Amino acid sequence: MKSVKALLITLVMILGASAMPAQAQFKFGPRVGLTVNDLHFNKDVVNSDNQTGWTAGFTGEFTVPVIGISADLSAMYVRRNSKFMENNASAKDNRDYIEIPLNIKYKFGLPVISKFVVPYVGVGPSVSFLTSRRHIENAFKNKSVDWALNFGFGVQLFSHVDLNARYGLGLTKAITTFSDAEKAGIEGKNRYWTISLGYYF
């Protein structure tokens, strides 16, 4: 994970250095949305289903004028729900996180409509800190920190409303098992979609 942390620090430093001479614009505001979580396992003995959760928090966006490069950094409270089957028994896991995603975005400056609609694509790392219980019915335990890589797209309307969708690819194991089940090699990673709506002041 040292390489991920180094990438995060490097991206922030580059953006900060490039933004100063360009008089970067800063916007800040609330964000709410829905999450669809699929907890992936590396063994066929456990099957999981997509479950819907929610997220809410705040986002700050830095934009470098002219070149179309921007970045947003968020602090979000996230509820991720999971339901899975093991040996014909159903189990549920509701996990709460504080998620901090950083997204580097490219905005497409389209003639005429850019004053009203600006589409963009983005990518960046995300770290989530578990705030809910650590154990699941004596079968699984949640890890306290979860790293992911986000890929997304969105659109900004009238420079204030931001609608986006991003896919989170889990880089670390969000769930592991207790010793008796670890013999089967069952370990879980998060895969999730987040659809959110924000407003920048």
Side-chain angles (χ1 to χ4, degrees), residues 149-168:
L149 183 62
N150 293 323
F151 305 89
F153 58 91
V155 60
Q156 287 191 357
L157 306 173
F158 304 100
S159 299
H160 293 288
V161 179
D162 184 281
L163 176 64
N164 72 39
R166 58 185 173 89
Y167 180 75

Side-chain angles (χ1 to χ4, degrees), residues 84-125:
F84 50 89
M85 298 290 296
E86 182 184 13
N87 299 324
N88 297 321
S90 176
K92 293 183 179 180
D93 176 31
N94 301 324
R95 286 162 292 139
D96 297 325
Y97 291 91
I98 298 296
E99 182 185 15
I100 303 177
L102 171 66
N103 296 296
I104 306 301
K105 303 184 294 188
Y106 179 77
K107 295 183 178 180
F108 298 93
L110 303 177
V112 182
I113 67 171
S114 290
K115 292 183 179 180
F116 311 101
V117 179
V118 179
Y120 64 84
V121 294
V123 62

Side-chain angles (χ1 to χ4, degrees), residues 12-30:
V12 172
M13 292 178 63
I14 291 175
L15 182 65
S18 62
M20 291 178 62
Q23 297 181 345
Q25 301 171 356
F26 175 74
K27 293 185 288 187
F28 177 81

Side-chain angles (χ1 to χ4, degrees), residues 39-154:
L39 190 61
H40 275 222
F41 291 85
N42 60 353
K43 290 289 181 179
D44 294 335
V45 294
V46 177
N47 296 319
S48 64
D49 296 325
N50 291 333
Q51 295 291 300
T52 302
W54 55 272
T55 182
F58 293 91
T59 301
E61 183 190 63
F62 297 88
T63 300
V64 180
V66 182
I67 63 175
I69 299 296
S70 66
D72 64 56
L73 182 66
S74 303
M76 306 293 294
Y77 190 89
V78 182
R79 164 63 63 89
R80 290 183 183 145
N81 299 323
S82 298
K83 180 180 179 182
F84 50 89
M85 298 290 296
E86 182 184 13
N87 299 324
N88 297 321
S90 176
K92 293 183 179 180
D93 176 31
N94 301 324
R95 286 162 292 139
D96 297 325
Y97 291 91
I98 298 296
E99 182 185 15
I100 303 177
L102 171 66
N103 296 296
I104 306 301
K105 303 184 294 188
Y106 179 77
K107 295 183 178 180
F108 298 93
L110 303 177
V112 182
I113 67 171
S114 290
K115 292 183 179 180
F116 311 101
V117 179
V118 179
Y120 64 84
V121 294
V123 62
S126 173
V127 59
S128 299
F129 300 96
L130 184 71
T131 62
S132 59
R133 60 195 178 98
R134 300 283 181 88
H135 299 7
I136 310 168
E137 299 179 358
N138 297 320
F140 299 93
K141 55 184 177 182
N142 289 309
K143 292 194 172 182
S144 59
V145 179
D146 183 27
W147 285 87
L149 183 62
N150 293 323
F151 305 89
F153 58 91

